[in-house]
Structures are given as structure tokens and as C-alpha cells.
Amino acid sequence: MSGEHTPGRRDTVSPPASFVEQANVSPSNSVVDAESHAVWERAAELLTWETPPDQPLPDDDTVEWYADGTLNAAANCLDRHLETRKNRVAIRWEGADGDTRLYTYLDLHREVNEAAAALRELGVETGDVVTCYLPVIPELVVTMLACARIGALHNVVFAGFSADELATRLDRTESGYLVTCDGYYRRGSAVNQLTTADTARMSVDHDVEPVVVGRLDDDAVYLGEEHRRYETLLDAHRNETVEPVSRAATDPLFVIYTSGTTGEPSRVTHTTGGYLAHVAWTGHSVLDIKPDDTHWCAADVAWITGHSYMVYAPLALGATTLLYEGAPDQPEKDRMWQLVERHRVDTFYTASTAVRAFMKWGETHPESHNLSSLRLLGMVGEPIDPRTWNWHRNHVGGGDTPVVDTWWQTETGGILVSTLPGVDDMKPGSAGPALPGVDIAVIDEEGEPVAPGESGYLAVTSPWPGMSQSLAAEASGANADDWYYVTSDRAVIDEDGYVTFLGREDDTVTVGNTAFGPATLESAIIDVNGVAEAAVVEANERGGTALAYVCTKHGKSGDEQLRDRIEHHVSERLGPTARFGAIVFIPELPKTHSGKIMRRLLGAIADGDSYGDTSALRNPETVGEIETVTRDE
Ligand code: 6R9
């Protein structure tokens, strides 16, 4: 892994005093320099426990977070807020078709109780897995919390996944219940969801009981006899209450599959106490969510980011969560800013690749709206280059809003690496240090820490509350001093402990004799004026050269001049070995539902290989054009 040209010194930007003054965590907060134990104690204090845990971790080597604590996640997101904020808005929902709905905490509490009673009527018991195959509509959140209330595990499957994908997830989780809908709107047209759901249901070996939300049509006309209507089921339980089931902190809360951007999706199970404490704490300390805020995490609920920061963190903290079902450019490219303005969004969290798309569409869109309500901007999902970081801060954040670049994974449950916006200086392009209470190192192939400035793999070197059940089990079986979790992310750590991510190990591009993280090459390309997005992949069939896919600022095709400027700038920044076999201009990069660039697909197109599973792709319509222009290069 030697020889990589790593990013140089970064400019630092301090958080404005006006932000620090009001921040949930500011420099005077004792947690900032506290021992890990004290930080995770503080995290647990954000929750309401039936039995408060004695300490974060037991004295022996077992890794069981808040082991002797008991609680219910739905009661933490709903019941405990009723006394002081029953009439505050819990969910503001904007549908893809322009519909809007508001749920107060009282409304949400009522519907979750009814749904919990309905699930019980169907036979759902504590520990059963309920699969949800729904777009971003309030019923999805209701079903998740209803499951949590009765101690059932939800298994949310992205609404755009194929019948095969759904069947695999029903099968592997042995899930006997499926909550879906008749259909939904995507980019202005109605999608029939029920037929896909039924196809999946028929192809698994066990019985799956279907519950159907009428999303397109209240009467859901084409329901068969076997389908149970969500609305009818709830009607039969009007105003019923269901006691929240007491759960041990270590009991599972839900299952979720990793995104499968690079490989086979794998199943991850999160715990009730550790997970909820971790996401509530990071929502509070990193995203600075306050009970009176409208927090908008613009993502799909089906992604771990949606679970943690659209549902559990904002609701546990008693804030308003804005849910948006539609596409960011429908009907127009200013849709996001229209929503920020209309709902006076305080904290805005989104995929870094989405921000690059906003930059591509141009600053006139955000600038035509009043975005002064925004207090904090957060990004997640892929490395962010300094140019996009600055664009976001200037054109969306009004020039002085703190920006947090948050690193984490499905397996980690919540954020682990980020600046604390009220405490730390920001370095555009670098995610930041490990959060208080989190220990990390950048290590080499042998597991030895590398020197600052050298690249390696990011490892998390001690347990954290949001860790998945299997990571906790693995850590429990190991000697505490020996255990560490190696992520597949390549990174560089600087003298201040700030981490810059280079991209995933499987996406590494070797040019000449130098292995580059894709982020290093892409960031250099995006630096060039007129470029908005880029993805670099290795093309084995083209003599192992690297192919750069580039989107220009307004989606127009690039010319020879731009090609020359890119080549020139990249070799100037990264040295003469950083050369591309070809620079291919395309209107859009292929991205998954969680906003990740599907580099694996671009590599397959470049090599003429089979594409493998692409049902996680959000914009499959772009593939044909990418094939054509690649062939012509
Ligand atoms: C939350 C989420 C995890 C992978 C992770 C890394 C990439 C996430 C990042 C980032 C650089 C950031 N990633 N945040 N890379 N900077 N701020 O995305 O979970 O879907 O499991 O993906 O995403 O490669 O390993 P998940």
C-alpha cells in the first residue's frame, strides 16, 4: 500500500461563536475530554430506562452494553414525550405527489399503539421478524415503532428492490409478516408494489402474512382475499393501547442488510439499549438536534442512515423529523430548498453524493430560497472533496454554518468519526477525529498502526454502544486489549487525529505502481472548474488503466479543453503516474438508493463484464448511455 499520494495539509475552519454558544456540546462540556466510560454513561442518560444500567460495560471482558438495563425503544421515542410535548409535531411528511401530513407525538403514539395491537392480532410475538417493504411514508415509521413496542424485530427492505431481493430477505430472516402497500409514486408515475411483493411472497418456502397500506388508493381496489388492509386492521383496534414490552438493553431491536454496493449484502442486527443510546447521543452531540428543531435527514428510511437519523435519534430526542418521499429534482431542481424554506429546517443531513448533485445543478437553486433557518449541515456515505464541502457551506449554509462530515457504517449503528460542531475546528475534505469515547487507528496489513500521513485501513480499536450484535459477540470472545474492528475503508490520519477517507479497499485503483483510493483521484478531478462529479475505476480489459467518469456542472458533455485541464490538474496534484486511460463524460453517475456511487458497475461496464446484482441502483435508466459512451472511448 506504499506510495500513495495522500492529501496534504488542510485549511481549518472554526465553528462560529454564535453556534458554539448554543451547541448541545461545547468546549466547556465535561464530556469533551472524558474517559470513554463517562461519555457512554452520559449517552445512556439521554434515555428513559425501566431499569437504569449500573454502568456502560460489565467489569469482566464481556462486551454487553448497559447489560443490566431494561427499556423499550418505542416508549423512548413516544410515551416519554407525552407529558411535556404531546401536541408537538413528531413527523412532517411530504409525499412524492405533493400530499402532506403532520403527526403530533400524540397522533403517532395512538397510531403506533393501534398498529402494535394489529400486529399482535396477526400473531406477531416478541422476537418475530416483521418485514417492511414500503416507501418513505409515515406508515413505515409507525410499523417500525409498533414492532419495537412489542419487541418484534423490523426488517426494512428498500421499496425499489426487486422481488428476488425481497424474497432473499424474507427467506434469510424467516420473516412470517410483510407490511407493504398497493403502490407508490416514483418520478411522477405510479409503481405497482403489491405485485412485486406477492411474487416475492410466493417464492419463499414459508407462509408470509401480507398487510397492505393503501398508498395510491384508500380502498386499495386490487387486494386479494389473503391481503389484510392496514387501515382496516387499525380501525379494528381504535384507541387501544399496548403496554410497551420491557426489553433487555442487549435484546435485538431490528435487522438490516448492508447496502451491497460492493459485495454480497450481509445481515446486521442492532441491540435495543446500545444502539438507541448511541444514535440519541450522536444526534445530540454531532447533529446538535434540539427538541424544538425540525431535523431533516434526506435519505431513505431503508438505509441505516434513515433508521438512525430519520427515525430513532430525532424521535428519541423529541424533535420533529421531516420525511420526504420524493426525488430531489422533482418537480424541479430546487425541490430540496423549497422544503427547507417551507418547513424552516434547522439541521439538514444528507448523502455527500447528493450534495455533489446539488452542486452540479447550480447555486441558483438554493439561492432562490430563504435557507436562513439552517443551523447545521451534515454529510454521510462517501468521502467528500473540499470543493463540494465549501460549495455546500457557502451556497446552502450561508457561508458560516458548521458542516459535519460523519463517518460510520451499517455495522457501527451510528456515527463514530466526525467533528463535534460546537467544539472542533473543521477541515474541509477530512471527516474529523474519532468522537469522544471512540478509539480508532489507521493500520497496515499486519495490523500495526501507520504513521500520521501514511495510508492504511481504518480500525476501531475498542467497543462502542452502537456496535452490531455480532461485533459485540466477537469482542466478547476476545481479550479486550487485542480486539479491534478493521473496516474496509482506506484512510489517512493526520497529526491532529483527523481522518481523511480514501475510499473502500475493493474500489482501490492502481495506476502505474501506485495504489490510489478512488477519493484521492476523484477529489482532484472535482477540483477542476466545470466538473461536478467523478468516479474512477480500474479497467482491467484496457491494460489495467484507470477510467475516469466525469459529470460536468450542468450535465453537459465536456470538451477537449476540459479533458486537458483535468489531465493537467490531476498530474500536477498527484504526480505523473496519476494518468487515466480515458476520461468519459456522462450525464449522471450510477448511484444506489443510499446515494453511493456504484463503482463496481462502472468497472463492469468498462471491462464488458456481467453487471451482477444492480437492483440497489436508483437510476438504472442511465446505464444504457454509460455503455454507449464507454464503448466509443
Ligand atoms: C452510514 C453508511 C458504509 C460505508 C463506509 C464508507 C462509506 C460512510 C462516510 C464514508 C467517507 C464518510 N462512508 N460515511 N466514507 N466519509 N463520511 O453509509 O453506512 O451504507 O453501511 O456504508 O460508507 O466506505 O464503510 P453504509
Side-chain angles (χ1 to χ4, degrees), residues 507-514 516 521 535-549 567 577-584 602-604 606-607 630 633:
D507 290 331
T508 300
V509 180
T510 306
V511 208
N513 284 326
T514 312
F516 287 97
L521 294 161
V536 177
V537 296
E538 212 169 280
N540 300 319
E541 291 302 308
R542 296 172 183 239
T545 55
L547 228 56
Y549 285 93
E567 276 176 356
T577 54
R579 292 192 62 80
F580 303 114
I583 295 173
V584 189
L602 290 173
D607 285 344
T630 305
E633 270 308 323

Side-chain angles (χ1 to χ4, degrees), residues 208-324:
V208 179
E209 177 107 37
V211 175
V212 184
V213 175
R215 164 71 185 103
L216 294 186
D217 184 339
D218 286 344
D219 294 325
V221 278
Y222 42 91
L223 291 188
E225 294 229 319
E226 75 279 22
H227 299 123
R228 308 288 297 260
R229 269 195 56 188
Y230 173 92
E231 296 78 5
T232 316
L233 276 170
L234 263 63
D235 269 343
H237 295 278
R238 274 294 158 242
N239 295 321
E240 260 177 51
T241 52
V242 173
E243 270 305 294
V245 171
S246 173
R247 301 288 273 161
T250 51
D251 281 340
L253 178 62
F254 64 84
V255 298
I256 187 169
Y257 280 78
T258 55
S259 48
T261 319
T262 46
E264 176 76 0
S266 65
R267 173 178 167 170
V268 172
T269 305
H270 279 294
T271 63
T272 308
Y275 170 82
L276 198 64
H278 192 126
V279 301
W281 168 249
T282 44
H284 172 85
S285 62
V286 179
L287 301 179
D288 199 49
I289 300 173
K290 309 221 165 45
D292 287 339
D293 281 347
T294 296
H295 169 68
W296 185 16
C297 170
D300 197 293
V301 172
W303 184 21
I304 187 67
T305 302
H307 282 55
S308 301
Y309 300 107
M310 289 169 89
V311 180
Y312 285 108
L315 296 180
L317 296 169
T320 300
T321 183
L322 174 63
L323 304 181
Y324 173 51

Side-chain angles (χ1 to χ4, degrees), residues 257-261 303-305 309 349 352 379-384 404-412 417 431 485 487-490 500-504 507 594 596:
Y257 280 78
T258 55
S259 48
T261 319
W303 184 21
I304 187 67
T305 302
Y309 300 107
Y349 190 41
S352 26
M379 289 189 267
V380 56
E382 285 233 351
I384 191 80
V404 287
D405 174 11
T406 66
W407 178 92
W408 57 294
Q409 304 178 307
T410 308
E411 295 85 341
T412 72
V417 176
Y485 165 57
T487 71
S488 37
D489 285 320
R490 299 188 57 216
T500 297
F501 287 94
L502 306 172
R504 292 180 71 89
D507 290 331
S594 57
K596 294 193 199 295

Side-chain angles (χ1 to χ4, degrees), residues 153-440:
L153 282 63
H154 52 75
N155 170 34
V156 180
V157 176
F158 173 53
F161 271 158
S162 62
D164 263 3
E165 287 284 327
L166 174 60
T168 310
R169 285 159 172 79
L170 283 167
D171 190 43
R172 294 206 191 146
T173 56
E174 292 172 32
S175 173
Y177 306 90
L178 176 64
V179 184
T180 183
C181 57
D182 52 353
Y184 64 100
Y185 298 97
R186 196 170 62 205
R187 300 201 158 267
S189 30
V191 180
N192 178 342
Q193 186 81 337
L194 192 53
T195 307
T196 318
D198 281 341
T199 308
R201 212 160 47 79
M202 299 310 166
S203 67
V204 295
D205 288 337
H206 62 270
D207 284 341
V208 179
E209 177 107 37
V211 175
V212 184
V213 175
R215 164 71 185 103
L216 294 186
D217 184 339
D218 286 344
D219 294 325
V221 278
Y222 42 91
L223 291 188
E225 294 229 319
E226 75 279 22
H227 299 123
R228 308 288 297 260
R229 269 195 56 188
Y230 173 92
E231 296 78 5
T232 316
L233 276 170
L234 263 63
D235 269 343
H237 295 278
R238 274 294 158 242
N239 295 321
E240 260 177 51
T241 52
V242 173
E243 270 305 294
V245 171
S246 173
R247 301 288 273 161
T250 51
D251 281 340
L253 178 62
F254 64 84
V255 298
I256 187 169
Y257 280 78
T258 55
S259 48
T261 319
T262 46
E264 176 76 0
S266 65
R267 173 178 167 170
V268 172
T269 305
H270 279 294
T271 63
T272 308
Y275 170 82
L276 198 64
H278 192 126
V279 301
W281 168 249
T282 44
H284 172 85
S285 62
V286 179
L287 301 179
D288 199 49
I289 300 173
K290 309 221 165 45
D292 287 339
D293 281 347
T294 296
H295 169 68
W296 185 16
C297 170
D300 197 293
V301 172
W303 184 21
I304 187 67
T305 302
H307 282 55
S308 301
Y309 300 107
M310 289 169 89
V311 180
Y312 285 108
L315 296 180
L317 296 169
T320 300
T321 183
L322 174 63
L323 304 181
Y324 173 51
E325 183 192 24
D329 54 350
Q330 291 279 318
E332 297 297 335
K333 291 192 166 61
D334 70 339
R335 181 72 169 131
M336 305 301 277
W337 320 122
Q338 202 189 67
L339 291 177
V340 169
E341 180 169 13
R342 167 135 43 120
H343 297 282
R344 307 259 160 94
V345 171
D346 298 280
T347 51
F348 178 59
Y349 190 41
T350 194
S352 26
T353 50
V355 178
R356 275 199 283 267
F358 303 153
M359 180 166 96
K360 176 167 121 190
W361 299 336
E363 46 270 21
T364 53
H365 302 296
E367 284 172 0
S368 62
H369 290 275
N370 178 354
L371 308 181
S372 60
S373 61
L374 289 171
R375 190 178 77 240
L376 174 112
L377 301 174
M379 289 189 267
V380 56
E382 285 233 351
I384 191 80
D385 57 283
R387 181 141 172 267
T388 310
W389 193 103
N390 280 305
W391 184 92
H392 198 38
R393 186 163 196 255
N394 290 333
H395 299 290
V396 176
D400 62 352
T401 301
V403 178
V404 287
D405 174 11
T406 66
W407 178 92
W408 57 294
Q409 304 178 307
T410 308
E411 295 85 341
T412 72
I415 302 166
L416 292 184
V417 176
S418 171
T419 51
L420 285 177
V423 177
D424 299 311
D425 283 347
M426 299 162 267
K427 301 189 191 188
S430 158
L435 293 180
V438 175
D439 299 307
I440 57 165

